[in-house]
Amino acid sequence: MLQFLKRLSRSSKPRNDAVEAPVDPKAYRVFTREFDVVTHAGELSSVIGPMSGEEKADLRQAFDTFKDALLGWKTKARIASLEASNELRNVKTTEDLENTVVTILVDHSRSMAGRNMLLAAAACQIAMEFLGAMNVKLEVLGFTTVGWRGGKCRRLWEQQGKRAAPGRLAETLHIIYKSSELAYREGRAYLLEPMLRLGLLKENIDGEAIEWAISRQMDIQAERRIVVVLSDGVPCDDATLSANDTNYLSRHLKQVIAQTEMQGAVELVGVGVGYDASQYYRTSARMDEIDDLGTTLIDVLRDALKKDFA
């Protein structure tokens, strides 16, 4: 007994040669959230800088030009939304629709620049009119990064010695275009022009963006929750992928989706623009013709709302 107590006493003393447990390089981590930003669309200038007079003029000219060019496209999408509205009213009660919240989460990666983002913004406007007519609660959100290749986050990691497997090194930028509390008429002003801003679209951390969208939904009173993710490719951030393994962000996205689908509180739908979203999402749609985005988004929303939710 005496020998046992002596061994116990020795083992209870602090050891100077203790080492930290090894880090699992595949486990998802965030190096720091210090530089992450969540902002409303009307306040983007405080994050990415104000536009010059020339940039404002160019944006206004592009907006006016594309607005006229979208007239035929919008007519087609509005006809589709009217047909979908009539179909839904035949199978869903007013109470069913009013107790539903939908989030449209838009990928703001650089590859979405130009026509893709224009039609994404226009499709969100059509969806806003479609859901607003049925009193379905709606949020429109966007996700990108504040800077390229990690920005301040990566520089801090370098200053601290570049530890191995640091996790996510980007500064995420999450944008609120329309909150569930914002009236539909007011929300229209925060869609097209802000999404077309120069310098806004950078890199994309999809898994965390979905977690953010869902966390916002959980604060909204509703019985049914649907998140539609509109994206044109896989998650990508150069700083994160170069400091971790190349599947780091993609693996996290799959984990977030799998966990969400398993829990069942939120329905996820992936809409792929030029890529197959079914590699991630159980329920998905693919568009190879970007002009079909408006009608495809309406079809996705109709099918999701029409389906019985267990």
Side-chain angles (χ1 to χ4, degrees):
M1 176 64 73
L2 181 59
Q3 292 301 319
F4 170 77
L5 291 174
K6 287 181 178 179
R7 289 197 303 270
L8 181 62
S9 177
R10 287 196 298 269
S11 66
S12 65
K13 294 178 181 179
R15 294 183 54 175
N16 294 327
D17 61 344
V19 295
E20 294 183 2
V23 173
D24 179 358
K26 293 188 176 182
Y28 193 77
R29 294 172 304 282
V30 176
F31 180 71
T32 179
R33 298 186 187 275
E34 180 182 354
F35 309 111
D36 295 350
V37 176
V38 177
T39 188
H40 289 271
E43 300 170 355
L44 276 170
S45 291
S46 65
V47 181
I48 63 175
M51 289 189 294
S52 66
E54 184 178 354
E55 287 174 335
K56 288 181 180 178
D58 289 344
L59 178 59
R60 172 53 59 181
Q61 182 178 2
F63 176 69
D64 289 341
T65 299
F66 283 124
K67 187 169 61 173
D68 294 336
L70 284 172
L71 289 176
W73 180 90
K74 282 188 173 182
T75 298
K76 179 182 175 183
R78 285 192 174 111
I79 291 173
S81 67
L82 180 61
E83 293 173 349
S85 298
N86 292 334
E87 187 175 345
L88 282 169
R89 288 192 175 98
N90 287 329
V91 295
K92 292 294 178 181
T93 66
T94 300
E95 185 179 5
D96 288 336
L97 297 169
E98 290 178 349
N99 283 325
T100 299
V101 58
V102 172
T103 297
I104 301 176
L105 180 62
V106 184
D107 170 13
H108 282 25
S109 57
R110 180 61 180 169
S111 55
M112 284 286 288
R115 186 160 161 261
N116 284 13
M117 186 54 69
L118 168 76
L119 290 175
C124 288
Q125 274 198 337
I126 297 293
M128 186 181 297
E129 297 171 6
F130 167 60
L131 297 173
M134 294 180 293
N135 293 321
V136 174
K137 301 179 183 72
L138 172 67
E139 295 222 310
V140 180
L141 309 175
F143 65 100
T144 184
T145 56
V146 177
W148 288 104
R149 294 175 290 280
K152 295 177 182 177
C153 184
R154 176 184 55 80
R155 289 194 290 273
L156 179 63
W157 170 67
E158 291 173 342
Q159 291 167 7
Q160 294 184 356
K162 295 186 177 181
R163 76 174 188 226
R168 188 257 286 172
L169 286 177
E171 317 157 280
T172 58
L173 173 56
H174 292 164
I175 307 161
I176 304 165
Y177 289 100
K178 184 198 174 299
S179 66
S180 61
E181 298 89 2
L182 189 67
Y184 281 88
R185 286 184 180 179
E186 295 173 353
R188 289 172 60 88
Y190 293 102
L191 283 176
L192 269 176
E193 290 190 68
M195 281 193 188
L196 301 178
R197 283 200 53 167
L198 296 174
L200 173 60
L201 310 183
K202 294 184 177 71
E203 299 181 280
N204 54 309
I205 314 291
D206 297 50
E208 287 190 60
I210 292 174
E211 290 177 324
W212 171 61
I214 291 174
S215 71
R216 287 183 57 84
Q217 276 202 354
M218 291 304 165
D219 292 331
I220 302 169
Q221 186 173 356
E223 294 182 4
R224 188 174 185 190
R225 307 174 191 280
I226 301 167
V227 174
V228 178
V229 183
L230 180 60
S231 176
D232 72 339
V234 301
C236 184
D237 169 63
D238 286 346
T240 300
L241 297 182
S242 63
N244 300 275
D245 68 90
T246 55
N247 293 319
Y248 195 74
L249 296 176
S250 179
R251 183 168 57 248
H252 180 243
L253 173 58
K254 290 180 179 179
Q255 290 169 349
V256 170
I257 292 172
Q259 183 177 13
T260 302
E261 291 177 341
M262 180 182 66
Q263 291 174 344
V266 177
E267 300 166 75
L268 283 177
V269 183
V271 179
V273 180
Y275 97 107
D276 185 6
S278 67
Q279 61 182 297
Y280 292 103
Y281 300 89
R282 182 186 302 165
T283 303
S284 67
R286 173 175 178 155
M287 291 173 305
D288 290 311
E289 297 295 332
I290 185 64
D291 286 344
D292 294 334
L293 178 54
T295 53
T296 299
L297 184 55
I298 293 300
D299 289 345
V300 164
L301 292 170
R302 178 204 61 206
D303 292 345
L305 291 168
K306 188 176 177 181
K307 185 173 62 175
D308 290 332
F309 181 53

